[in-house]
Structures are given as C-alpha cells and as structure tokens.
Amino acid sequence: MRILVLGADGYLGWPTALHLSAAGHEVGVLDNFARRGYDRELGVESLVPIESFDARIRAWQEVSGRTLTPYVGDLTDAEFTTGAVRGFRPDAIVHFAEQRAAPYSMIDQEHAVYTQSNNVVGTLNLLYAIAETDPGIHLVKLGTMGEYGTPNIDIEEGWLEVTHNGRTDRMLYPKKPGSFYHLSKVHDSHNIEFACRVWGLRATDLNQGIVYGHRTEQTAADPRLATRFDYDAVFGTVLNRFVIQAVLGRPLTVYGGGGQTRGMIEIRDTVECIRLACENPAAAGEFRVFNQMTESFRIDHLAKTVAEAYPGDVRVDHLDNPRVEQEEHYYHVVHSGLPQLGLAPHLLSNTLIESLFPLVAAHRGRVDADALLPGVRWRGALPQTADAA
C-alpha cells in the first residue's frame, strides 16, 4: 500500500512511519515541525535527543534500504494539503498532525483558539483533499479516549444504540471531553463522520489511550532513529513523569486523590494498531471507531507500581489537582475491535518500567526539574476569587 503519515516527525508519527515502511508499504511523511516549536516556546526538550527530520529519513534509508517520501507544510494551508495528497496518491492516510496536549490547550485563550483552529481546520482541509483527489482513500485518524470523559456507563466503541420513548436508533457515543484539546478531537470526529455519511468517504477513528514506552523494533535499530521522550507537565505522559521523578530522587506527583482511571497502551501496540487499521480498511461510507487501549489503571496505582519497581526509596506526593475532573469514577471500556483484527498486546509490567530507568539515568542532565510540576490550571480563565476557586 501507499500510506501517507501526517505528523510524522512526532512521538508516535515517526515510529509509525518506520513500522509501516518495515512492513513493506510505500510511506510518505509529512510535518510542519510545530511540535519542535512548542519545545522552543516552553523552554523544554525531549529527554532523548532526536535528529532533524532530514537526518532521520537518511538514517532510515541507510539502516533499512527503504525510502520515505517527505512533505513539509501545514494542513491549515488547503492548497498545500491538497497538493500533497494528489502528489503522493495514497491508499491510506494516517493523521497525527494535531496539537495533542490538553494542558497546552488550557494555558490561555490564545492557546485554546490555536489548538481548535489548527486541529479542526487542518482536518477539514484534509477531508476536502481526500474527497477531491480520491474518495476511496482510507483515513486513519488518531482520536483520544479523552473524548468520552468518564461517564457512569460502559464506553462502547464509538457508537451507542439508544432507545427513547419506545424508538431505537444507533448514534455516536455521547462525548464529555475534559479540555479544549479534547473538544477539538470531538469536533474532528463529528466532521469525519459527516464526510463519511454525506460524501461516502471511509475512515477509522482510533480513540487512543495514554501511550507509554519509548522503543519499537525500528527506532531501536540506530540511535538516529530514536523518537521523542516527553516528560514535562504540558506534553509529558504520566508514566514518563513518574519514572523520571523516581530516578531524580523526587516525589512522584499525583494530581488530587489519584483515583482517576485512564486507558493505556504501549508504543509497540500503537504502531501495530495503525498497521492493522490500514491493512483492513473501513468500507466506503463507513465511520469506524476503535478504542485503542489495552488496559486501564488508576493513577495512584501507577505511581505505586513505579515506586515498587525502582531500586531505591521513592515517595508519592498528592498535589492539588490543576485539572477539573472526577477523581473517583466508574470506568469500563469496550476495546475488542483491534484484537479481532489480530492485535496481541504488550501489557505493562515491571520489566518494561525497569528498562526505562537506565534510559533516564543516561540523559538525566537534560531534565528540567521545574518542568515536571504543573503550571497550567483549568480554571485559569476565571477571576481568582474565592467563588471561582
């Protein structure tokens, strides 16, 4: 297949492109390097150094003998987006090219507006590019489990059968997102479903849980192929933060009570899910949804697991929660679609956590300890009064 990966310079886009290329597909890679720009804005950097986009592409050709076709540009530029799709003529498009951090979207009005305009407009331009170029192109879109929130009912895979006043219908599962970023993903899902229903496009929406891990078979083949390892309180994921805090001898910082439960998935499973979705496309006119997670954890349990795995003393601290969220809630997610396609998941174990400790130790000099603590508060737009608090 010919597969175009959007956001291919990012944490997941890069290993996904390599995984698809190693599987024998012809892969195009597109990015505008906004993610590197966020690092410059926030004054942080990946724990593990990463090469330039061009150097990565050259390294992959040296290691594998396979080429990646690069495109540099922004999806909010409709002319560029349509030109890239027409130029590469993909069978499938994997869409990672969005601002992906909830805290970033909650910094202030400017960041909220940027997140929604960047994500929603870029995806709309992509839908038009597909419709105008070839409606048969299969769009594989990375959504998020955060679209659902934490409802007090089972979370189905995208759709829900509802009976009301004696009548039954199948409709998109109701969403209760927790940030302006998550809201942008909900808007994406509705726009894509509309394009499938009205234009006959085909799409798979992958509502992904929190990703952990750093290495895939391909990124481990050469240091120049490494992907990002984000740890800061804006873009870092919770397991990365806990591991770094343990190595630095700092308390593991749990927000609030720690009863928040989240779906999670290992990076090797993420790239495999995308391969499976590409190679088993949705039907014409179908908006297919998979919940892309393999297991779920309470945050306080995750902190305890890291503390027990680390060969030293580790303390767990509970901070005032900067977010507005339920800290104790029901959480049961249906996630059977991808295993039915062949996913054999890697589940979290002490072995994987322990493998991260030496990686962090080797790069501990690159850690900005202050960046580990939350600085963005969900109520930041409100007047700081007793009533607002």
Side-chain angles (χ1 to χ4, degrees):
M1 297 175 65
R2 294 179 62 80
I3 303 175
L4 181 61
V5 179
L6 314 179
D9 191 46
Y11 168 52
L12 298 179
W14 178 245
T16 295
L18 300 191
H19 188 70
L20 294 171
S21 179
H25 301 297
E26 296 296 324
V27 177
V29 287
L30 184 152
D31 211 286
N32 68 347
F33 312 130
R35 180 65 191 87
R36 295 177 188 251
Y38 305 148
D39 274 359
R40 291 190 292 271
E41 175 193 351
L42 299 172
V44 296
E45 58 186 357
S46 165
L47 175 75
V48 176
I50 56 172
E51 297 286 343
S52 70
F53 197 47
D54 289 343
R56 287 171 141 185
I57 292 170
R58 289 194 301 270
W60 177 242
Q61 185 168 13
E62 292 174 17
V63 169
S64 70
R66 302 190 63 84
T67 60
L68 302 172
T69 303
Y71 295 87
V72 176
D74 195 321
L75 295 187
T76 61
D77 180 339
E79 184 177 355
F80 164 78
T81 303
T82 300
V85 173
R86 286 178 177 168
F88 191 71
R89 302 291 300 192
D91 301 299
I93 295 176
V94 178
H95 183 14
F96 285 103
E98 297 194 319
Q99 192 295 98
R100 63 152 177 96
Y104 189 88
S105 75
M106 300 299 293
I107 291 175
D108 55 23
Q109 179 180 355
E110 178 184 355
H111 289 79
V113 171
Y114 164 76
T115 297
Q116 294 221 353
S117 60
N118 180 78
N119 293 0
V120 176
V121 171
T123 299
L124 272 172
N125 284 341
L126 179 60
L127 291 172
Y128 270 92
I130 292 171
E132 293 172 11
T133 302
D134 177 4
I137 294 170
H138 178 213
L139 174 60
V140 178
K141 173 70 166 63
L142 267 292
T144 168
M145 289 299 301
E147 289 187 34
Y148 297 116
T150 52
N152 197 38
I153 58 174
D154 290 358
I155 298 175
E156 305 294 338
E157 292 203 282
W159 294 88
L160 187 66
E161 187 173 282
V162 177
T163 299
H164 178 65
N165 289 342
R167 302 186 69 84
T168 300
D169 201 355
R170 179 176 180 263
M171 56 186 60
L172 288 177
Y173 193 98
K175 306 295 179 66
K176 196 175 182 180
S179 72
F180 286 121
Y181 155 70
H182 292 106
L183 273 162
S184 77
K185 305 294 268 191
V186 173
H187 300 327
D188 285 338
S189 294
H190 283 259
N191 285 339
I192 297 169
E193 188 275 334
F194 177 83
C196 291
R197 175 164 41 92
V198 175
W199 296 342
L201 302 192
R202 63 180 78 216
T204 298
D205 203 14
L206 298 174
N207 286 330
Q208 182 169 254
I210 297 171
V211 182
Y212 61 89
H214 174 255
R215 291 159 62 95
T216 66
E217 180 181 348
Q218 291 76 39
T219 65
D222 189 292
R224 296 171 296 171
L225 300 176
T227 195
R228 302 184 59 90
F229 190 105
D230 295 314
Y231 64 86
D232 62 281
V234 175
F235 278 92
T237 55
V238 63
L239 181 64
N240 287 357
R241 187 174 81 246
F242 287 164
V243 167
I244 287 180
Q245 288 170 328
V247 173
L248 294 184
R250 291 174 171 264
L252 311 190
T253 50
V254 173
Y255 297 168
Q260 307 94 320
T261 302
R262 298 291 181 263
M264 301 188 69
I265 185 170
E266 213 254 32
I267 190 170
R268 290 174 294 175
D269 293 339
T270 286
V271 299
E272 179 64 1
C273 286
I274 295 163
R275 182 190 69 80
L276 290 168
C278 288
E279 293 178 359
N280 299 274
E286 180 186 9
F287 178 70
R288 182 176 64 175
V289 182
F290 293 138
N291 292 333
Q292 187 169 302
M293 54 167 282
T294 54
E295 51 191 335
S296 59
F297 294 94
R298 286 172 55 110
I299 299 302
D300 56 0
H301 174 74
L302 200 61
K304 181 181 178 182
T305 301
V306 172
E308 291 175 348
Y310 187 69
D313 293 332
V314 177
R315 188 172 88 245
V316 176
D317 278 359
H318 290 260
L319 307 182
D320 288 340
N321 195 340
R323 305 186 178 204
V324 177
E325 61 185 0
Q326 290 180 282
E327 294 182 8
E328 294 285 344
H329 56 86
Y330 178 78
Y331 196 74
H332 183 266
V333 180
V334 176
H335 51 98
S336 58
L338 286 161
Q340 288 172 2
L341 291 183
L343 176 66
H346 299 83
L347 301 181
L348 182 64
S349 67
N350 285 0
T351 302
L352 185 140
I353 294 173
E354 289 165 1
S355 73
L356 295 175
F357 295 139
L359 175 72
V360 172
H363 298 287
R364 64 185 301 162
R366 293 172 59 86
V367 176
D368 178 354
D370 291 338
L372 290 162
L373 297 176
V376 179
R377 298 197 170 269
W378 263 229
R379 297 190 188 275
L382 297 175
Q384 298 305 298
T385 65
D387 289 339

